[in-house]
Amino acid sequence: MATEEDVRGICLGLPGVTERSSWGQPAWFAKTLMARIWEEGVVTVKTGEREALAAMDPDKFYWTPHHDGSPNLILIRLDKIDVDELTGLLQESYRIAGTPK
């Protein structure tokens, strides 16, 4: 089970990532947004595998109608994911978000 502190530590461990508030929630930015706490216990990240992840494990991965226009965004329930898997997804999100200057 991962936590918001795990998200923070992984994100801030990547080169050039900064933390600031987005929509009143903690968010982490590379060149663009790479991760944000959506609500307590849920983080949104960028992925090229949204459909496959949600089909594979809809209890862990999902999105809301708010995300329909952003096909790279997926929501992850932190209590359903281990830190190693979360790390891989945050690294992918970092690559998609672009390298900071």
Side-chain angles (χ1 to χ4, degrees):
M1 177 172 107
T3 66
E4 182 178 324
E5 287 307 309
D6 292 322
V7 174
R8 177 174 282 110
I10 295 163
C11 289
L12 293 177
L14 296 166
V17 172
T18 59
E19 179 177 343
R20 63 181 186 264
S21 181
S22 173
W23 294 88
Q25 296 287 350
W28 297 272
F29 292 81
K31 187 174 183 179
T32 63
L33 177 76
M34 64 166 282
R36 181 172 82 77
I37 298 300
W38 178 252
E39 61 189 21
E40 186 173 339
V42 178
V43 64
T44 183
V45 302
K46 294 179 177 181
T47 180
E49 302 294 326
R50 178 167 91 166
E51 298 280 340
L53 289 169
M56 179 180 65
D57 194 342
D59 288 334
K60 185 188 307 183
F61 304 107
Y62 68 104
W63 66 90
T64 69
H66 174 84
H67 301 95
D68 285 342
S70 301
N72 282 340
L73 294 179
I74 194 163
L75 296 166
I76 304 168
R77 289 182 178 94
L78 293 173
D79 66 347
K80 305 285 184 186
I81 194 167
D82 66 42
V83 173
D84 289 339
E85 186 178 18
L86 177 64
T87 298
L89 289 164
L90 287 169
Q91 289 169 341
E92 177 188 9
S93 189
Y94 176 77
R95 287 188 299 275
I96 292 169
T99 306
K101 292 183 178 185

